Amino acid sequence: MKETAKYSEKKILVLGLAKSGVMAASLLHKLGAFVTVNDMKPLSENPEAQGLLEQGIKVICGSHPIELLDEGFELIVKNPGIPYRNPIVKGALEKGIPVITEVELAYQISEAPFIGITGTNGKTTTTTLVFEMLKIGEKSPLIAGNIGTVASGVAEKAKSDDSIVIELSSFQLMGIEEFRPEISILTNLYDAHLDYHSSKQEYAEAKAAITKNQIGSDFMIFNADQDAVLSMAKKTKAELVPFSTEVKHENGAYVEEGAVYFRGEKVIDVSEIALPGKHNLENVLAAISAAKLKGVANEAIQTVLKTFFGVEHRLQYVATIENRKFYNDSKATNILAASKALTSFTEPVILLAGGLDRGNEFDELKPAMKNVKAVITFGETAEKIERVAKEIGIANIKRVDNVEKAVPAAFELSNEGDCILLSPACASWDQYKTFEQRGDMFMEAVHKLK
């Protein structure tokens, strides 16, 4: 861990716990700060807060009292999930008190450089691919952020010859000041999280923050097929490394005659890549770019791409049973994600979809359903998805109680060569606590068919 006196004897409020808040509070305490923790969950139901209390850290639980702003804090470390409209956060900014997220702390103490990955879609897959390529290539990577362990916990143990590969959300990036990755990746940009951000512009600016501190010796890997991303890339000081599935870019990664190239060098044939879909090909191009910039050999990259079948719950290959392939895409909690999954397949698809009703219709799903031969629905949105399926001429439609019952129902309607895809296009909260739980139930049901 890099020695720093930046936080010594400073009065700091850690707002919101969860894993990142606990780690931030403990780290700041070690660095000599006077730490106060504030969390909504009552102390009696809050083992994390109790543990911090035992370390000698001041803890206030059960509410976010606005009076905390009168205590003279010099810095607030905010849980990324707490919006900026929160009265304490809003009041702090009005008073000129800096508000950061735990990622900034990680950067301040890290001896290792960062490879930061952000974007609306593909962050987790790209982060995992980069990490695996660096690992097979013996480049000493560590993984952190939403996909791994808490960033500051990783940074505390990192050495100068390590590389921290970190997935970054817009929530985290809004709270950085000096954070500077040696390699940044921007996978794509679509409208998202507008219930958190005040506008599309604010969301885009949060994503663009990943490169705001980069300098000429750094690299920005970006999706050159998107105008919105291109406009962001023009503002960076880092060396630009484009990737594209459509256009040849001599200074980046591209596809030509059925193979992936990086800066003119063939890396792998597209047919050898295990991950299906154009959107995953974009993720592959981004990951290859980062790996090559870090000096990873093609053989290591090829080993990963030939054997990596996806991150859990993100178009994850589950099994082949009687020549039917099953895929778990429970992370597809919106129409855009489900559309991307559906367009990944040329085979006939039996779609399992439904979940929490947020008031929207599903007509935007129609163009992606060309290969769908049957639909199994469940959850609050079952009727809405059935309407869309009927309107595009799908005859085989069946409603079931839940994902567990959807699997055998889909198998009964399937033929050899079909793909059975869970891609709900909805959040899971009407029936399951998380999309992970929903995906686990799907996989368990698939394995019961064997």
Side-chain angles (χ1 to χ4, degrees), residues 299-329:
E299 291 77 13
I301 293 171
Q302 291 162 6
T303 297
V304 172
L305 293 178
K306 289 176 182 179
T307 57
F308 183 78
F309 288 95
V311 179
E312 271 198 328
H313 313 296
R314 292 164 174 83
L315 206 55
Q316 173 193 7
Y317 170 74
V318 179
T320 298
I321 301 174
E322 295 183 23
N323 205 23
R324 283 92 161 158
K325 290 183 178 179
F326 290 80
Y327 289 87
N328 167 25
D329 194 40

Side-chain angles (χ1 to χ4, degrees), residues 1-20:
M1 181 174 75
K2 192 187 294 180
E3 292 296 322
T4 177
K6 186 179 179 74
Y7 303 106
S8 180
E9 297 188 1
K10 278 198 172 183
K11 198 169 183 183
I12 300 175
L13 174 65
V14 175
L15 189 65
L17 281 179
K19 291 180 180 179
S20 65

Side-chain angles (χ1 to χ4, degrees), residues 11-134:
K11 198 169 183 183
I12 300 175
L13 174 65
V14 175
L15 189 65
L17 281 179
K19 291 180 180 179
S20 65
V22 171
M23 190 65 70
S26 295
L27 175 60
L28 288 165
H29 185 62
K30 291 177 192 174
L31 294 172
F34 302 123
V35 182
T36 298
V37 170
N38 176 222
D39 193 59
M40 279 295 291
K41 192 185 292 185
L43 184 62
S44 59
E45 303 169 15
N46 200 329
E48 295 88 356
Q50 293 170 20
L52 293 173
L53 197 60
E54 290 171 4
Q55 293 179 43
I57 296 172
K58 183 179 178 181
V59 173
I60 298 169
C61 287
S63 67
H64 289 317
I66 194 67
E67 295 80 14
L68 279 172
L69 291 176
D70 298 328
E71 296 195 15
F73 292 111
E74 298 169 75
L75 177 71
I76 292 179
V77 181
K78 180 185 76 68
N79 182 287
I82 296 175
Y84 282 79
R85 61 180 175 270
N86 175 281
I88 291 180
V89 177
K90 190 176 177 182
L93 293 172
E94 288 171 355
K95 286 175 174 281
I97 303 170
V99 178
I100 65 171
T101 51
E102 176 265 345
V103 169
E104 179 68 18
L105 284 182
Y107 178 76
Q108 296 291 343
I109 65 163
S110 179
E111 294 180 12
F114 285 79
I115 300 173
I117 297 103
T118 197
T120 305
N121 294 317
K123 295 186 296 297
T124 302
T125 299
T126 305
T127 301
T128 307
L129 283 170
V130 172
F131 172 75
E132 293 296 335
M133 288 173 184
L134 265 60

Side-chain angles (χ1 to χ4, degrees), residues 334-389:
N334 56 54
I335 293 170
L336 176 62
S339 296
K340 284 183 174 291
L342 285 167
T343 55
S344 299
F345 299 97
T346 55
E347 307 94 329
V349 172
I350 297 176
L351 174 65
L352 281 57
L356 183 72
D357 191 348
R358 283 175 159 155
N360 59 288
E361 298 295 332
F362 293 85
D363 296 86
E364 293 175 35
L365 203 57
K366 290 179 180 178
M369 296 178 71
K370 293 176 182 176
N371 294 326
V372 176
K373 62 178 279 188
V375 175
I376 310 295
T377 64
F378 47 85
E380 293 177 355
T381 58
E383 187 174 344
K384 290 183 176 182
I385 294 171
E386 288 163 10
R387 175 188 65 78
V388 167

Side-chain angles (χ1 to χ4, degrees), residues 350 373-376 396-398 408-415 418:
I350 297 176
K373 62 178 279 188
V375 175
I376 310 295
N396 283 330
I397 301 169
K398 185 172 183 178
F411 190 77
E412 285 180 18
L413 292 175
S414 68
N415 296 311
D418 290 350

Side-chain angles (χ1 to χ4, degrees), residues 88-303:
I88 291 180
V89 177
K90 190 176 177 182
L93 293 172
E94 288 171 355
K95 286 175 174 281
I97 303 170
V99 178
I100 65 171
T101 51
E102 176 265 345
V103 169
E104 179 68 18
L105 284 182
Y107 178 76
Q108 296 291 343
I109 65 163
S110 179
E111 294 180 12
F114 285 79
I115 300 173
I117 297 103
T118 197
T120 305
N121 294 317
K123 295 186 296 297
T124 302
T125 299
T126 305
T127 301
T128 307
L129 283 170
V130 172
F131 172 75
E132 293 296 335
M133 288 173 184
L134 265 60
K135 185 171 71 172
I136 298 295
E138 299 181 348
K139 299 298 180 182
S140 190
L142 303 169
I143 196 163
N146 296 337
I147 187 174
T149 51
V150 177
S152 55
V154 174
E156 195 173 351
K157 299 173 183 176
K159 304 301 181 186
S160 58
D161 55 352
D162 295 329
S163 290
I164 298 176
V165 185
I166 182 168
E167 177 185 339
L168 295 163
S169 69
S170 59
F171 305 165
Q172 291 168 309
L173 288 167
M174 281 187 78
I176 62 169
E177 291 181 345
E178 298 177 23
F179 177 79
R180 180 190 134 219
E182 69 167 8
I183 298 174
S184 67
I185 299 177
L186 184 52
T187 59
N188 48 55
L189 189 70
Y190 300 98
D191 293 345
H193 300 303
L194 298 182
D195 53 342
Y196 182 99
H197 295 283
S198 61
S199 64
K200 296 178 184 179
Q201 182 64 25
E202 182 186 275
Y203 173 66
E205 288 174 357
K207 290 296 189 186
I210 195 169
T211 188
K212 71 176 183 179
N213 296 319
Q214 288 191 290
I215 60 176
S217 58
D218 299 323
F219 299 92
M220 181 189 182
I221 299 167
F222 68 99
N223 188 336
D225 294 335
Q226 274 202 320
D227 290 340
V229 176
L230 272 168
S231 64
M232 289 182 183
K234 290 175 182 177
K235 299 175 184 176
T236 187
K237 294 178 182 177
E239 181 177 336
L240 291 173
V241 183
F243 67 87
S244 171
T245 61
E246 308 291 340
V247 179
K248 180 177 179 178
H249 289 276
E250 295 287 356
N251 195 42
Y254 55 92
V255 179
E256 188 174 55
E257 297 180 354
V260 173
Y261 288 79
F262 181 76
R263 294 184 170 176
E265 178 189 5
K266 181 179 175 181
V267 179
I268 189 171
D269 287 321
V270 173
S271 61
E272 294 183 287
I273 298 171
L275 279 173
K278 181 183 175 183
H279 66 295
N280 274 323
L281 184 55
E282 292 177 349
N283 299 333
V284 165
L285 292 171
I288 286 174
S289 299
K292 293 296 286 182
L293 290 172
K294 293 294 288 185
V296 177
N298 287 349
E299 291 77 13
I301 293 171
Q302 291 162 6
T303 297

